[in-house]
Amino acid sequence: MSDISPQDSFETLKKNVVTTISSYFPFEKKQRKLVLEKIWVEDKLDVGDIQSQADAKNFERTWGVPVKGQLKLMDTGTGKVIDTKTVTLARLPKMTNRYGYLVNGNEYQVDHLFRLKSGVYARIQDNGD
């Protein structure tokens, strides 16, 4: 586990979540279209901040960061902007320095994922394929 750092793992997760959420936009119907102008993750938590992790456990909260987006509602006929708003699209649990996640006050660890070795996994079927 020494080659995996919680911060590097979370950076990869942030990048993947932003890419995935962005792929769902724009939503378009007959008269309106919802466009995602900008998306970002407000990551203000420090992996070494034990006090905020303890608070999350004690008050049964998730220790995570919000994924925010700036949305624009447009009229498809005229192309006119009806409304622009910044909203929280999701909340990402952040990995602690103990390689776990605090969700609703409970700490979950995914140790079994670290046991996999890198490389290709293959299974030989009965017919030899």
Side-chain angles (χ1 to χ4, degrees):
M1 251 190 325
S2 63
D3 58 340
I4 301 172
S5 76
Q7 192 61 36
D8 292 343
S9 174
F10 191 67
E11 291 299 322
T12 303
L13 178 65
K14 285 194 308 190
K15 184 174 65 170
N16 291 341
V17 166
V18 166
T19 303
T20 303
I21 291 175
S22 297
S23 70
Y24 287 103
F25 286 92
F27 288 127
E28 193 164 346
K29 293 294 181 181
K30 292 180 183 177
Q31 298 176 354
R32 305 278 191 262
K33 178 166 68 169
L34 188 63
V35 179
L36 180 65
E37 287 190 320
K38 188 170 100 173
I39 185 169
W40 68 95
V41 178
E42 286 189 357
D43 187 7
K44 297 178 182 174
L45 295 177
D46 180 25
V47 177
D49 187 5
I50 303 299
Q51 184 60 48
S52 68
Q53 294 174 24
D55 290 344
K57 271 184 147 178
N58 292 336
F59 296 112
E60 297 181 354
R61 292 189 310 230
T62 298
W63 192 69
V65 295
V67 179
K68 296 206 173 194
Q70 187 173 0
L71 300 174
K72 181 168 61 172
L73 183 64
M74 299 177 67
D75 189 330
T76 54
T78 62
K80 183 179 176 185
V81 176
I82 298 170
D83 194 15
T84 302
K85 191 177 267 190
T86 300
V87 296
T88 300
L89 300 171
R91 187 158 183 83
L92 276 180
K94 187 162 181 172
M95 185 180 280
T96 66
N97 55 0
R98 296 175 305 281
Y99 298 95
Y101 298 95
L102 290 167
V103 179
N104 295 332
N106 297 317
E107 187 160 4
Y108 297 99
Q109 301 218 344
V110 286
D111 293 344
H112 67 283
L113 296 177
F114 298 137
R115 291 187 200 139
L116 297 176
K117 305 272 188 234
S118 62
V120 177
Y121 285 88
R123 190 177 83 193
I124 299 174
Q125 297 180 353
D126 293 338
N127 63 1
D129 288 346

